Amino acid sequence: MAITSANQLELLQTAEAVAREKMIDPSLVVEAMEESLARAAKSRYGAEMDIRVAIDRKTGRATFTRVRTVVEDEDLENYQSELTVEQARQYMENPQVGDTLVEEVPPVELGRIAAQSAKQVILQKVREAERDRQYEEFQDRKGTIINGVVKREEYGNVIVDVGRGEGILRRNEKIGRESYRPNDRVRCFIKDVRRETRGPQIFLSRTAPEFMAELFKMEVPEIYDGIIEIKAVARDPGSRAKIAVVSYDNSIDPVGACVGMRGSRVQAVVNELQGEKIDIIPWNEDVPTFLVNALQPAEVSKVVLDEEAERIEVVVPDEQLSLAIGRRGQNVRLASQLTGLDIDIMTESDESARRQKEFEERTQLFVNTLDVDEFFAQLLVAEGFTNLEEVAYVELDELLVIDGVDEDTAQELQARARDFLEAQAKAAIEKARELGAEDSLFDFEGLTPQMIQALAEDGVKTLEDFATCADWELAGGWTTENGERVKDDGLLEPFDMSLEEAQSMIMTARIALGWVDPAELAAEEDAAAGEENAEEAEA
């Protein structure tokens, strides 16, 4: 095949035909032709040469050029594609390093082998372009629902024809024991799209919470229009689900809109999900209120929220316990997923027993430490006193409200509490000293003798040791192991130290030791605050 003798327009016609067939840009096909012709020309003129080919997009004429780059004398390595400044003066005026010399060379005749090679290059480029187009197309559709046709099933995984590509619906992404036959139509959620050498891999799902959210968006116009927003979804695929919705129009009931006339809207979603029962719940920014809604149909007597631990205690009537927990813990598990909190459910009798135990423990504490009788200790607990510090350092007026307590009695109570606390502190100091705690810890503001003793018992004996601790090592925290949240006890957690307090104390220690520059720290905090404000403004 000779480029010079062939009908040059055939190149463009071929490129357009291939581009139409594969639905890609014709210029990509022309670029592939240029590369294949350049490769053939290099085999003719020499692989060391930098031969380039340009095909005119209008006439189809192919121009072959040889390109040489001007380099420094000492950098000259390839005489075929480089030349020195001195050599370049023969062809150019005032040549500079980095300039290129372009010379046209005669077109090459493509032999059989070269033509076959050119064809392979073009096919490879076309395949790559087709894969890129598929990837971009499905990447844009990631997070949406797609309709497909089942092609085959392999080891429980379903291969789905989704138009210009194939998707895979894995066994664990199917609802219950769904089975499909070839040519069955299936509706799936595009969970992920990955670029791989053999083409884009499209991962489908029917169990993802987002699949249910997208189905409701299709069935409920108010969600599609943004009047109603789906705030959270929790699913036990094929069995039960909870979906939290909120309306931004006071005249529209979000739950009623999602249910539809005679349940038509929610029933359409239920049918698609193989009969999955759906609880539609009104979302509320007040977490306890939202949780009470999420635990429907069970009734809730009381909610106690621990925001720091991201845990919540729910008290229900004794007869409502099984309903609140649900079959195999399903109801409470879905409510936990919906709210993002760990939920502890207890009955009213359990909570009453726990409160009675706490009452007795605090009563005994005051009996043992303040040398008062049980009745008087119970009065203190009933007034809300939980520890000796509160008794020792509270305003005198708060003790005087207790029946039978005059000013002299209140002062005596405080004196006894302070004496006991001072004795505890002295004993803690002596114990910490025995364990090797150094003055740097005792001089550090914010650490009590009892805290220093607890640190020393765990090997933290100097300010340097303290500064190397992580915040969760001091205040405690939660980690997830095998899908379950596990409590990590902190060294200073018994002293009610929060993560924020631990972070502040550790950073103060590092600044005192000269490990951290306060000016740099302030600049980082300002930058972080600026980024946060910018993100809020964008939102």
Side-chain angles (χ1 to χ4, degrees), residues 40-49 51 64 80 104-108:
K42 280 187 180 182
S43 65
R44 166 70 175 79
Y45 286 109
E48 297 293 322
M49 284 193 183
I51 302 293
F64 290 70
Q80 300 292 350
E104 189 169 343
V105 296
V108 298

Side-chain angles (χ1 to χ4, degrees), residues 318 321 345-355:
D318 290 29
L321 180 62
I345 292 186
M346 63 177 65
T347 61
E348 290 177 344
S349 56
D350 288 340
E351 200 234 355
S352 176
R354 190 186 69 174
R355 290 179 63 183

Side-chain angles (χ1 to χ4, degrees), residues 113 198 224 238 287 322 346 423 505 526 528:
I113 296 176
R198 59 187 176 186
Y224 183 82
V287 175
S322 60
M346 63 177 65
M505 291 182 73
D526 290 342

Side-chain angles (χ1 to χ4, degrees), residues 403-422:
D403 289 341
V405 175
D406 55 21
E407 191 169 334
D408 290 341
T409 305
Q411 289 176 345
E412 176 62 22
L413 275 176
Q414 288 198 321
R416 291 182 185 181
R418 287 170 182 166
D419 288 345
F420 189 87
L421 290 172
E422 287 172 6

Side-chain angles (χ1 to χ4, degrees), residues 65-81:
T65 55
R66 175 190 181 189
V67 180
R68 287 187 283 177
T69 305
V70 180
V71 297
E72 298 282 2
D73 291 3
E74 60 271 17
D75 294 334
L76 183 64
E77 294 180 355
N78 185 349
Y79 291 93
Q80 300 292 350
S81 61

